[in-house]
Amino acid sequence: NVTAVVRNHQHAAGENFSVQKGPLTLKSFQYGSKYLKTNVEFRVLFCGDRTLMVRRVDIRRNKPKENYVCRSLWGYGRFSKTPKSLHQATLRAAKAIGLDCGCADILRYKNKYYFLELNSATSIDFKRIKDFFIVNLSRLMDKKFPHYKEIKPKKMKEVKLSEIFS
């Protein structure tokens, strides 16, 4: 009798998003998680040992009336420092699945954080996000690949994989 969010394991943005009341039967390519009614969702970007938190905000002009909102198509606003406990939890989660960079989608419900998912590739559609990854990918490369410092170009976009891994 639980209300659950049902998604396909592989999805992009808001595709195949539904909220259903149980009992339900999930297909082998789906997962379900308990629906938490909250208006507070964050994306925590991570790269190496750095994080940056940004809140999801509804930027749609014609906001439809919805019983269950999928914030995947919303924009970002209110960049802020990640609270220490969330910073540490995000890095632990990333490490547990072997990610050095990406982002975590997180809800805040009754003053607790709930991880929705970790993404290995994130949208880089704001200058602040782009700058975060440029700086921290460079730091991460310096740490993981010390020989990279010897061939590091002035601009990251000029790096050729054949130069780094030869």
Side-chain angles (χ1 to χ4, degrees):
N1 211 20
V2 170
T3 302
V5 176
V6 177
R7 307 267 329 244
N8 290 350
H9 290 287
Q10 295 183 342
H11 61 268
E15 72 179 18
N16 301 314
F17 164 89
S18 68
V19 177
Q20 302 173 27
K21 189 160 181 128
L24 34 116
T25 303
L26 299 176
K27 297 182 172 91
S28 62
F29 57 85
Q30 294 177 314
Y31 69 93
S33 52
K34 184 177 178 181
Y35 177 79
L36 301 175
K37 187 172 177 64
T38 179
N39 292 324
V40 185
E41 183 173 334
F42 298 100
R43 177 161 271 195
V44 177
L45 310 166
F46 58 90
C47 187
D49 61 356
R50 307 293 175 120
T51 61
L52 174 66
M53 186 169 81
V54 60
R55 185 168 177 174
R56 294 250 193 205
V57 293
D58 192 351
I59 58 172
R60 301 173 297 174
R61 289 181 183 205
N62 299 318
K63 299 176 184 177
K65 191 169 186 169
E66 303 162 298
N67 289 330
Y68 303 107
V69 177
C70 179
R71 294 177 197 86
S72 293
L73 301 175
W74 287 17
Y76 305 112
R78 303 184 202 140
F79 287 85
S80 62
K81 183 177 178 182
T82 311
K84 187 176 180 178
S85 63
L86 185 56
H87 166 84
Q88 293 169 338
T90 300
L91 295 181
R92 277 194 314 273
K95 184 178 180 180
I97 63 170
L99 289 180
D100 287 318
C101 62
C103 65
D105 291 332
I106 298 168
L107 293 178
R108 190 174 71 209
Y109 176 73
K110 295 186 178 180
N111 292 320
K112 292 184 181 178
Y113 294 108
Y114 293 85
F115 280 77
L116 300 174
E117 65 184 7
L118 291 175
N119 298 286
S120 59
T122 184
S123 304
I124 302 180
D125 46 3
F126 284 85
K127 183 178 181 339
R128 182 106 184 247
I129 294 172
K130 179 183 171 185
D131 292 345
F132 172 82
F133 281 109
I134 287 173
V135 167
N136 292 300
L137 278 171
S138 181
R139 284 184 182 147
L140 183 62
M141 292 292 289
D142 289 345
K143 183 178 177 181
K144 289 187 87 106
F145 305 104
H147 67 279
Y148 167 74
K149 291 178 185 179
E150 299 164 14
I151 60 166
K152 184 176 174 182
K154 290 182 181 178
K155 293 184 179 179
M156 286 294 290
K157 67 182 180 181
E158 295 175 1
V159 174
K160 295 180 184 172
L161 289 177
S162 60
E163 294 173 354
I164 296 171
F165 297 105
S166 60

